[in-house]
């Protein structure tokens, strides 16, 4: 049985590298003020099992790469890139209205 992640996950998040801790990636909501930085990546999770990977483009404007997510366990997210390419598993360390913390656990390369 696939478990649904917490409702707070379902929004657009921006990776705040300067807050990363060891092997944990820290994300903040895209609609909140962030320190200035060039080329921030991000991710948006949707309840229907899709996600959008936002990658810095040539002018720092984000490019969009869609994919699918599913839960492998209550605290595990598997992300698969477009057309089934690239898959990686993340430990959902924490998520609330202000912060998303993900730890890559392995698998293939993250979708891009």
């Amino acid at each position: 049985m696939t478990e649904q992640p917490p409702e707070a996950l379902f929004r657009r998040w921006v990776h705040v590298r300067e807050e990363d801790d060891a092997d944990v990636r820290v994300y903040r909501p895209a609609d909140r003020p962030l320190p200035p930085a060039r080329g921030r990546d991000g991710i948006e999770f949707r309840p229907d099992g899709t996600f959008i990977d936002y990658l810095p483009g040539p002018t720092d404007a984000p490019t969009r790469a869609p994919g699918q997510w599913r839960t492998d366990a209550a605290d595990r997210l598997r992300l698969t890139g477009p057309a089934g390419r690239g898959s990686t598993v993340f430990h959902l360390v924490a998520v609330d209205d202000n912060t998303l913390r993900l730890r890559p656990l392995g698998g293939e390369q993250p979708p891009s």
Side-chain angles (χ1 to χ4, degrees):
M1 176 177 155
T2 302
E3 295 193 35
Q4 188 74 356
E7 189 67 29
L9 180 70
F10 303 120
R11 62 170 30 148
R12 184 171 174 187
W13 298 93
V14 177
H15 186 187
V16 185
R17 285 185 179 83
E18 58 271 28
E19 294 183 20
D20 285 357
D21 183 27
D23 60 346
V24 175
R25 297 179 187 179
V26 177
Y27 295 80
R28 298 288 179 182
D31 61 354
R32 308 276 169 81
L34 296 170
R38 293 194 64 194
R40 289 196 187 274
D41 61 307
I43 194 163
E44 179 181 348
F45 289 96
R46 297 177 177 171
D48 67 359
T50 61
F51 77 93
I52 304 293
D53 201 9
Y54 293 92
L55 305 166
T59 62
D60 286 341
T63 61
R64 297 165 45 113
Q68 301 287 317
W69 67 265
R70 73 170 201 250
T71 53
D72 284 350
D75 63 347
R76 301 282 190 269
L77 295 171
R78 178 175 299 274
L79 279 55
T80 304
R85 295 179 312 178
S87 176
T88 193
V89 177
F90 290 92
H91 172 221
L92 179 58
V93 177
V95 64
D96 60 31
D97 289 339
N98 299 308
T99 308
L100 169 63
R101 296 179 185 278
L102 296 174
R103 176 179 294 120
L105 295 177
E108 302 171 25
Q109 291 299 311
S112 59

